[in-house]
Amino acid sequence: YGDKTESSMELYSLWDPGPGRVAVGRRGHESWIVIFPDDGRGGLRRARKAHVDSVEKIPAPAGVIQLSGPVRNERGQIAVAGNLGGNWDIWVHDGQWHRLTESPSIELDPWWEGETLVWTSNSTGKFQIHQADNTPITTASFGALLPRDGKYLELTANGWRISSYESERPEISKLRYVSENGSVEADAPPEIAPKAYDPFKSLWPNYIKPDIFAGISDFQLGLETGGRDVSGEYLFDAGVRYSFDNDFVALQALLQRKTIGTRYARYPFGFNNALGESISEDRNDVALFWRPLDESTDEQTEILKATTGSDLAVDQIDLSLNYRRFSPESGGGSADDEAWVALAAGKSFGSLHTWGNFELFTENRQFLSGGVAYSFGDRLVASFKLMGGKSWGEPIIGRDTFRVGGDVTEGGFTRRPTRLFPVRGFDSGVLEAPAAIAASTEVSWPLAILQFGYQSLPVFLHRLQLGAFLDAGLASKEAESDDLLVGGGFELVTSLEAGWGGLSTFRIGVAWPLEHPDSVDQDGPVIVFQLGLPL
């Protein structure tokens, strides 16, 4: 703004202001040198429209994709570091571009010493200050940067300090002239021939972090890794966990190219319901999926998974072909398999999150579930969640049925849609039927803004909240009120980053069973404890 009048320089951003009223700007994907007029006050001010109109813009040399640290002397010559072909060198502009250096080392931080230059280079193995004939004029043990009028920053064993240098001020070495069409002298370095992009050079693990779940019924510990190439079109993640309660090593892996991918999971599955029915299986799931609207971030997915039980509560669609092979966990009995087509979708509208799942099995069985979650408030936050599901065909225990009870969701590690609707104050999977519905309402009060970790442990705590909740749900063929479960209680909840960036939730509290059918033998209070997401 100048004289309260908005003006545009047709540049998206400006950075690296230097002596002589110069800076670096960007127009589209190209870097430019920007020269501001002298308004009599110094600096880069644009006080009058006449000065705005006289701002000079110089495009970078042909092929140079980045510029850094421009400095301009009294004669109007501009020295700057430029990135050509992935290598940083020193360039000078005096009406046309000249290239001063061409070594494979990195040259940065140019500074005018009269009519000659000094800069930073790592051609000797460590960053030192070099003069115009490219010879080093410092001998810093750990490195030297930012030459400025005989002073520079020296890195020592005890940190940074300001030191002095002396320059013989030799003449600038031979310039590499660049014409308007981008061609250079014959003795200039040849252009690098382009190569086809190979995503696997950057698709190696970007991180390896611990993966943990702790609850009343199980403790699971493992490692997780993942990678994404620089284009963002290729990604993978993988993990391994050991379940101490099941004495089982679980695995998961995912590989995705743009919108198409495949995933695999090996995990145990088992529970007991109020009727004395039980299931205990080893499962291996394989899926080929298509996600045309996969625009959620990892952080969004983690937050919504912890609050809704679904990783599709952002704008997503997941169409998949699935195969599962399962066998009794004890090792006895025969193995079996099944296949199905699944469609999952999620849509967010501000603080309102909705999601749904439909599965069609080869044995003429169908499965439909979904939910909605809504929260409002700033410091005092109220939230409401409703989930429901129904299956058709011949139901099989643990496969086509829904379960109500327990204090956690399932499927965080295996990515399968949950069929457990939590009602805190009861054991996991107390009621089981082909149809179920559950609702939860909760109010959270802020207690403290923790924002701290402990030493170098990979755990960082965020805001601590106290929540009061009321859960209700039922699972029945006819949805009779006699099958209703109601539980309520209090929790202390804090979000935390575990394992250098993995966002998770830690909650501890107490819940009471307030209403349940006669077939459910449940006494209170029940301790609610959860760290992370289970298998």
Side-chain angles (χ1 to χ4, degrees), residues 108-177:
L108 295 168
D109 300 339
W111 186 259
W112 289 103
E113 295 280 355
E115 295 184 2
T116 186
L117 280 168
V118 292
W119 57 76
T120 301
S121 174
N122 68 345
S123 59
T124 61
K126 293 185 179 72
F127 279 106
Q128 303 289 352
I129 308 303
H130 287 234
Q131 59 187 13
D133 59 1
N134 212 14
T135 59
I137 54 177
T138 61
T139 56
S141 299
F142 296 96
L145 296 171
L146 290 172
R148 294 292 185 269
D149 294 329
K151 305 291 185 181
Y152 70 97
L153 283 180
E154 179 183 4
L155 181 61
T156 70
N158 297 319
W160 293 96
R161 71 180 182 189
I162 298 176
S163 301
S164 301
Y165 66 85
E166 293 184 1
S167 172
E168 298 176 357
R169 297 197 175 190
E171 293 184 2
I172 297 176
S173 58
K174 183 181 179 182
L175 303 180
R176 302 295 182 184
Y177 289 91

Side-chain angles (χ1 to χ4, degrees), residues 23 51 128 187 192 258 270 274 289 327 336 375 404 414 426 500 532:
H51 290 153
Q128 303 289 352
D187 57 350
I192 299 176
K258 296 184 178 180
F289 65 89
S327 59
D336 201 354
S375 62
V404 174
T414 61
F426 295 89
W500 302 283

Side-chain angles (χ1 to χ4, degrees), residues 181-243:
N181 62 10
S183 62
V184 299
E185 286 186 345
D187 57 350
E191 293 186 2
I192 299 176
K195 297 180 180 179
Y197 173 65
D198 182 3
F200 296 100
K201 290 184 178 180
S202 59
L203 195 59
W204 296 103
N206 299 149
Y207 63 87
I208 298 176
K209 66 180 183 182
D211 187 36
I212 185 173
F213 165 76
I216 297 297
S217 60
D218 194 10
F219 178 69
Q220 302 164 8
L221 187 63
L223 292 174
E224 183 182 355
T225 184
R228 187 185 297 266
D229 78 313
V230 295
S231 71
E233 296 181 347
Y234 298 81
L235 64 91
F236 84 94
D237 64 59
V240 57
R241 266 200 205 172
Y242 177 72
S243 169

